[in-house]
């Protein structure tokens, strides 16, 4: 199920404080498979977080800006796509208390991505219209910025520092799917980072990433199994194995993802429920409710994300008429 | 029509959250008996989740502070910096731009008011009244001050006149202003204004003179509005019920008073005194982030006609070389009551600048702001300066 494989993880996780933040591009599926009409999609992903440590609980709410994507079948086999998404999320809000010192850190922003993609489908299998094989190539421009506001308080005195990071970079990806097997690879990615009040600019290599998927059908059930492995060159980050398993029937689906983060010590388990509603002559809507639990040492984070997606189909073609 | 007196009886039962209301006639018969539920428990339960959400999402518990520690070891530290030197520089500044005109004497201070009028060339015949009107600034604690109004015998420049000088290039023959010994008139500053009446002869003398000067004849101080203060002193010439008003074309006060020894710590307005302090830079602070710099000192004595004065702090842009040492922008401002004995001011910007540029630690300057508004002097207890600095190691940038 495409939507479930598009299990883009959104958030304002406290664990985003390290590294480049929360990787939003895991288990990404760029195959279009059966697509005959142009589509414009909009997604909104509010996120409810509950932080837990020992007997303390704290809630956070966050919402990401609209995610947009456009897919146009240029010919019967070629599909061109453009869109945006958040690549790394660096948003969080957390407090520290240490004797007489209190620190409040609020961070907003992250690394955004604008991508352009070409998919080429080869042959179709039976009446389903699913292509026998598919090849795609994607180029992504990465940009964005983060603003960290550190507020320190001792006694009655308080002062704030603001760190502003600016990012620029790119990454490329491609993939092949044949029958029920899919394989995608991403590489040549880098990210330049500038920070205010600093003369030095950092350049980071993004990890290469290999994804292998199996998408068999059994009776009316569609099964998705995905394995993903990034290859970090930075020794401070982990190159971990990630798994996703999903099943759906008609317009209902469920998926589970095991997603240990590249940041050492952080593990995540996520469960997602998806339902799809068609709007005749207009498109369809999807509601995906996912719940994730993340752990690192004694900190537990529960994230609940009701994702709303609305897709308009073939609107240009109808206007031409 | 039957008229019956009835009585109402309410009984609250908080165990069951109900109210029993009984209406009875005078003879005790029950007319109506109503039982109302005060609170519906089920309704309350419906909103429990909302309360939980509010509690959950509004708290500021430091959960995840271990995560923050990966960006640095956050530990608040406190350090006291030692004073290298403190001293006072003063200057009898020109007070022509002040919003007030101060007159009086006492406590070794003395202040005169100098006024200049420009009248039209028309002859003033048949005037019914000639009066000088000055308005008192009631935001000060004013005394009743008898004054003598004298003819000024030497010209003055409003923006440049001081006790010793009538302009930047010329001094008074006698300090405090050159004037005729015999007063033209006497007046008393009392209430909310001073009004002094003149005759033709006196008016003509004022018209041809360099101005008039008001000399206090007894101890006490009074504050009058200057033309910069919004209520200029006026001459009002009344003729047949019509009033011609002539405002001052120049007004100022000149002030004399005690001066501090160089090593004493004074700050003052009127006779401007600036206190310069230099604190020793401690290398412990290298690469640290100052959270506060609490400058604390005690007051020895106050001389002011205000309830409070504003103390400003500026950094020095160069080594202190006198009253006119180049100063940086205002970094702190504190209003202190004349009853206060201790003053604390946060000068974290000075401390952070000292950390960032230890070679440019020229010190800081305390002064009363604005320096020309009134006559105030604050004596700071020698050796009472303390600078306590709260700091931490700044967070490391994201890598």
């Amino acid at each position: 199920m495409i939507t479930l494989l598009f299990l883009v993880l959104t958030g304002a996780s406290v664990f985003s404080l390290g590294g480049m933040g929360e990787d939003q591009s895991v288990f990404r599926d760029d195959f279009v498979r059966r697509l005959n009409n142009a589509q414009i999609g909009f997604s909104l992903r509010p996120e409810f977080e509950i932080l837990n440590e020992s007997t303390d609980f704290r809630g956070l709410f966050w919402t990401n800006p609209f995610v947009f994507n456009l897919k146009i079948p240029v010919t019967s086999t070629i599909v061109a796509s453009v869109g945006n998404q958040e690549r790394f999320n660096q948003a969080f809000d957390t407090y520290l208390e240490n004797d007489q010192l209190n620190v409040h850190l609020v961070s907003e922003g992250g690394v955004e991505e604008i991508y352009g993609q070409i998919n080429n489908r080869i042959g179709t299998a039976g009446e389903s219209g699913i292509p026998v094989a598919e090849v795609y190539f994607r180029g992504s421009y990465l940009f964005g910025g983060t603003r960290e506001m550190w507020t320190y308080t001792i006694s009655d005195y308080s002062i704030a520092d603001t760190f502003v990071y600016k990012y620029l970079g790119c990454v490329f990806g491609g993939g092949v799917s044949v029958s029920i097997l899919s394989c995608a690879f991403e590489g040549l990615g880098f990210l330049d980072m500038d920070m205010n009040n600093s003369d030095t600019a950092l350049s980071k290599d993004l990890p290469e990433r290999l994804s292998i998927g199996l998408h068999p059908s059994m009776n009316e059930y569609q099964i998705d199994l995905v394995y993903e492995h990034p290859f970090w060159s930075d020794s401070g980050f982990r190159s971990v194995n990630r798994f996703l398993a999903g099943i759906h029937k008609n317009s209902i689906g469920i998926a589970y993802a095991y997603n240990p983060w590249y940041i050492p010590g952080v593990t995540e388990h996520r469960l997602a429920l998806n339902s799809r509603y068609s709007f005749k002559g207009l498109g369809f809507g999807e509601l995906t409710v996912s719940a994730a639990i993340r752990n690192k040492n004694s900190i537990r984070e529960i994230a609940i994300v009701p994702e709303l997606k609305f897709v308009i189909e073939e609107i240009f073609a109808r206007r031409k008429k | 029509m039957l008229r019956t007196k009835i009585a109402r009886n309410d009984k609250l039962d908080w165990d069951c959250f109900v109210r029993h209301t009984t209406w009875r006639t005078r003879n005790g018969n029950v007319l109506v008996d109503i039982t109302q539920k005060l609170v519906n428990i089920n309704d309350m339960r419906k909103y429990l989740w909302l309360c939980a959400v509010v509690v959950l999402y509004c708290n500021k518990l430091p959960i995840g502070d271990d995560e923050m520690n990966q960006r640095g070891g956050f530990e608040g530290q406190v350090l006291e910096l030692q004073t290298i030197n403190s001293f006072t520089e003063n200057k009898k500044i020109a007070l022509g731009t002040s919003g007030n005109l101060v007159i009086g004497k006492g406590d070794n201070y003395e202040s005169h008011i100098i006024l200049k009028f420009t009248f039209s060339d028309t002859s003033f015949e048949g005037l019914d009244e000639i009066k000088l009107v000055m308005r008192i600034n009631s935001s000060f604690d004013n005394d009743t001050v008898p004054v003598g109004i004298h003819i000024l015998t030497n010209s003055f420049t409003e923006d440049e006149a001081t006790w010793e000088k009538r302009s930047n290039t010329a001094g008074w023959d006698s300090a405090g202003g050159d004037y005729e010994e015999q007063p033209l008139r006497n007046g008393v500053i009392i209430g909310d204004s001073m009004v002094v009446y003149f005759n033709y002869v006196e008016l003509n003398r004022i018209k041809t003179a360099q101005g008039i000067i008001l000399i206090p004849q007894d101890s006490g101080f009074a504050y009058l509005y200057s033309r910069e203060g919004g209520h200029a002193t006026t001459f009002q010439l009344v003729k047949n019920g019509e009033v011609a008003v002539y405002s001052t074309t120049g007004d100022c006060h000149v002030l004399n008073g005690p001066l501090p020894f160089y090593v004493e710590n004074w700050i003052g307005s009127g006779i401007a005194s600036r206190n310069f302090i230099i604190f020793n830079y401690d290398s412990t602070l290298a690469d640290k982030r100052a959270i506060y710099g609490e400058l604390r000192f005690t007051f020895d004595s106050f001389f002011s006609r205000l309830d409070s004065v504003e103390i400003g702090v500026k950094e020095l842009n160069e080594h202190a070389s006198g009253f006119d040492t180049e100063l940086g922008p205002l970094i702190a401002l504190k209003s202190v009551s004349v009853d206060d004995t201790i003053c604390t001011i946060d000068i974290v910007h000075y401390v952070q600048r000292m950390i960032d540029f230890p070679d440019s630690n020229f010190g800081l300057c305390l002064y009363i702001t604005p320096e020309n508004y009134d006559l105030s002097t604050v004596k700071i207890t020698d050796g009472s300066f303390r600078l306590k600095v709260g700091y931490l190691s700044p967070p490391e940038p994201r890598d």
Side-chain angles (χ1 to χ4, degrees):
Chain A
M1 184 174 197
I2 293 171
T3 310
L4 282 177
L5 290 174
F6 260 108
L7 190 68
V8 180
L9 311 179
T10 63
S13 171
V14 70
F15 305 122
S16 309
L17 205 147
M20 283 182 283
E22 182 181 351
D23 189 348
Q24 304 276 41
S25 60
V26 297
F27 300 124
R28 178 172 178 168
D29 184 2
D30 289 312
F31 295 100
V32 295
R33 297 187 179 84
R34 182 173 49 193
L35 179 82
N36 298 317
N37 299 323
Q39 289 184 346
I40 303 175
F42 303 91
S43 301
L44 180 66
R45 300 187 186 98
E47 177 160 340
F48 299 88
E49 303 258 2
I50 297 170
L51 271 173
N52 167 231
E53 190 169 26
S54 185
T55 55
D56 292 333
F57 290 86
R58 178 164 177 255
L60 285 171
F61 172 74
W62 208 266
T63 185
N64 287 307
F66 274 110
V67 174
F68 161 82
N69 66 72
L70 170 66
K71 293 174 185 164
I72 301 173
V74 182
T75 66
S76 59
T77 58
I78 295 174
V79 176
S81 311
V82 291
N84 77 303
Q85 74 161 56
E86 193 168 42
R87 187 81 184 193
F88 289 99
N89 184 296
Q90 297 179 354
F92 48 85
D93 180 334
T94 187
Y95 293 85
L96 175 145
E97 283 179 11
N98 193 347
D99 293 333
Q100 54 182 340
L101 172 71
N102 290 338
V103 182
H104 180 202
L105 171 57
V106 179
S107 177
E108 294 170 355
V111 181
E112 301 290 328
E113 173 182 351
I114 292 177
Y115 64 87
Q117 184 174 312
I118 295 288
N119 291 57
N120 189 9
R121 298 170 293 182
I122 302 157
T124 52
E127 295 176 354
S128 66
I130 296 175
V132 174
E134 183 179 345
V135 180
Y136 80 85
F137 174 78
R138 190 190 72 245
S140 299
Y141 175 70
L142 306 178
F143 67 101
T146 304
R147 180 186 297 267
E148 287 182 357
M149 283 160 286
W150 297 77
T151 306
Y152 322 103
T153 305
I154 293 183
S155 308
D156 295 331
Y157 296 100
S158 191
I159 201 161
D161 276 335
T162 303
F163 291 179
V164 177
Y165 303 92
K166 288 183 179 173
Y167 299 101
L168 275 181
C170 63
V171 66
F172 299 93
V176 179
S177 81
V178 178
S179 185
I180 62 167
L181 182 68
S182 69
C183 180
F185 187 79
E186 186 180 81
L188 302 175
F190 69 91
L191 200 58
D192 291 337
M193 180 177 84
D194 278 323
M195 187 185 147
N196 65 333
N197 302 326
S198 174
D199 297 330
T200 55
L202 276 176
S203 186
K204 273 196 171 299
D205 288 332
L206 293 175
E208 286 99 29
R209 181 160 50 201
L210 176 68
S211 301
I212 297 170
L214 278 173
H215 313 281
S217 298
M218 294 174 69
N219 300 327
E220 294 175 310
Y221 294 95
Q222 172 70 47
I223 297 167
D224 296 303
L225 300 167
V226 180
Y227 163 77
E228 192 170 286
H229 186 87
F231 302 91
W232 282 92
S233 57
D234 191 325
S235 59
F237 300 136
R238 299 188 300 173
S239 297
V240 290
N241 297 314
R242 295 191 277 256
F243 303 96
L244 180 144
I247 184 167
H248 78 100
K249 179 186 176 185
N250 301 327
S251 60
I252 304 289
I254 186 169
Y256 162 79
Y258 170 66
N259 174 32
W261 284 26
Y262 66 99
I263 297 170
V266 184
T267 57
E268 178 183 300
H269 300 271
R270 181 172 287 252
L271 192 66
L273 292 169
N274 173 272
S275 60
R276 179 171 170 159
Y277 308 93
S278 290
F279 302 107
K280 203 169 184 180
L282 187 62
F284 60 91
E286 284 183 356
L287 173 64
T288 305
V289 179
S290 64
I293 183 161
R294 302 174 189 128
N295 290 289
K296 184 182 178 186
N297 301 328
S298 58
I299 308 168
R300 185 180 296 125
E301 190 174 69
I302 299 160
I304 298 166
V305 184
E307 178 186 344
L308 291 165
K309 185 173 182 181
F310 185 62
V311 178
I312 303 168
E313 288 186 313
E314 208 46 48
I315 190 165
F316 303 120
R318 279 193 281 113
R319 278 182 182 167
K320 279 179 188 171
K321 289 173 188 174
Chain B
M1 183 177 178
L2 179 64
R3 298 181 65 165
T4 309
K5 286 203 173 180
I6 57 176
R8 173 181 168 161
N9 179 31
D10 282 352
K11 185 183 176 189
L12 298 177
D13 182 353
W14 286 107
D15 291 336
C16 302
F17 294 97
V18 294
R19 175 171 62 194
H20 301 288
T21 305
T22 311
W23 295 87
R24 295 172 186 273
T25 60
R26 187 188 282 173
N27 56 15
N29 294 330
V30 176
L31 286 176
V32 185
D33 195 350
I34 304 168
T35 301
Q36 291 176 300
K37 273 199 170 182
L38 295 173
V39 180
N40 189 325
I41 303 294
N42 290 328
D43 285 347
M44 285 179 67
R45 282 178 185 152
K46 277 196 295 189
Y47 295 107
L48 277 178
W49 68 271
L50 188 61
C51 298
V53 167
V54 169
V55 169
L56 198 60
Y57 280 81
C58 292
N59 74 55
K60 298 178 177 180
L61 288 170
I63 303 171
D65 51 358
D66 287 345
E67 286 303 301
M68 213 186 281
N69 280 326
Q70 65 181 287
R71 297 284 293 276
F74 296 101
E75 193 174 345
Q77 308 273 357
V78 176
L79 176 74
E80 188 165 314
L81 296 182
Q82 301 301 311
T83 312
I84 295 177
N85 195 10
S86 70
F87 55 92
T88 302
E89 297 280 358
N90 59 74
K91 185 179 186 179
K92 287 180 182 168
I93 56 174
L95 298 165
T97 55
S98 172
N100 298 296
L101 297 169
V102 184
I103 189 165
K105 60 181 177 181
D107 291 320
N108 297 321
Y109 291 97
E110 184 168 349
S111 183
H112 301 164
I113 293 174
I114 305 173
L115 305 172
K116 173 74 178 170
F117 293 91
T118 304
F119 295 95
S120 63
D121 292 335
T122 53
S123 63
F124 300 121
E125 291 181 356
L127 292 174
D128 301 322
E129 259 181 19
I130 304 165
K131 58 184 178 184
L132 175 73
V133 179
M134 301 184 80
R135 291 192 55 181
I136 293 176
N137 186 344
S138 57
S139 38
F140 291 87
D141 178 19
N142 293 298
D143 297 319
T144 299
V145 182
V147 298
I149 300 168
H150 300 252
I151 291 289
L152 194 69
T153 55
N154 259 328
S155 64
F156 72 102
T157 305
E158 181 188 23
D159 298 342
E160 298 171 3
T162 64
W163 186 261
E164 281 85 16
K165 291 180 176 179
R166 57 193 179 93
S167 71
N168 284 339
T169 53
W172 299 109
D173 294 337
S174 304
D178 300 331
Y179 53 91
E180 292 181 355
E181 193 174 338
Q182 278 298 107
L184 203 59
R185 286 276 169 174
N186 291 318
V188 179
I189 299 173
I190 189 169
D192 59 1
S193 63
M194 181 182 78
V195 180
V196 181
Y197 291 88
F198 294 86
N199 59 34
Y200 283 111
V201 178
E202 292 159 345
L203 177 62
N204 282 329
R205 289 197 62 197
I206 292 169
K207 279 175 67 179
T208 56
Q210 301 294 342
I212 55 175
I213 184 166
L214 279 64
I215 308 294
Q217 294 177 330
D218 203 349
S219 61
F221 284 89
Y223 287 74
L224 301 124
Y225 285 108
S226 71
R227 60 183 184 141
E228 288 81 5
H231 301 286
T233 300
T234 57
F235 256 105
Q236 296 182 10
L237 312 181
V238 183
K239 183 178 181 181
N240 298 329
E242 289 186 7
V243 182
V245 177
Y246 292 90
S247 298
T248 51
T249 51
D251 61 4
C252 67
H253 61 283
V254 292
L255 185 59
N256 191 30
L259 301 175
F261 290 114
Y262 182 73
V263 293
E264 287 183 313
N265 297 292
W266 289 26
I267 48 176
S269 60
I271 298 174
S273 295
R274 294 177 179 177
N275 193 243
F276 297 92
I277 321 158
I278 304 172
F279 287 96
N280 188 34
Y281 170 69
D282 191 318
S283 58
T284 311
L285 292 172
D287 300 324
K288 297 293 190 293
R289 178 65 168 108
I291 298 172
Y292 69 87
E294 186 184 84
L295 175 65
R296 179 186 290 256
F297 50 91
T298 58
F299 298 121
D300 193 30
S301 64
F302 265 96
F303 177 83
S304 181
R305 290 305 171 111
L306 290 167
D307 295 334
S308 62
V309 295
E310 275 75 45
I311 297 176
V313 185
K314 288 184 175 181
E315 291 171 318
L316 272 61
N317 287 343
E318 57 186 12
H319 288 292
S321 56
F323 182 87
D324 292 317
T325 300
E326 185 183 325
L327 304 175
L330 184 75
I331 58 168
L333 184 66
K334 181 77 179 269
S335 178
V336 294
S337 165
V338 294
D339 298 324
D340 287 347
T341 55
I342 297 174
C343 178
T344 56
I345 305 177
D346 187 12
I347 54 167
V348 66
H349 293 284
Y350 165 71
V351 176
Q352 191 60 52
R353 184 169 179 245
M354 183 197 286
I355 293 169
D356 295 340
F357 308 102
D359 294 336
S360 302
N361 175 27
F362 302 122
L364 50 88
C365 168
L366 295 182
Y367 67 107
I368 290 180
T369 177
E371 286 180 316
N372 66 355
Y373 183 69
D374 67 326
L375 171 56
S376 293
T377 300
V378 180
K379 293 182 184 176
I380 297 166
T381 309
D382 294 336
S384 68
F385 288 113
R386 296 282 181 275
L387 177 55
K388 194 165 76 173
V389 177
Y391 66 94
L392 51 67
S393 295
E396 292 165 10
R398 188 180 282 276
D399 56 6

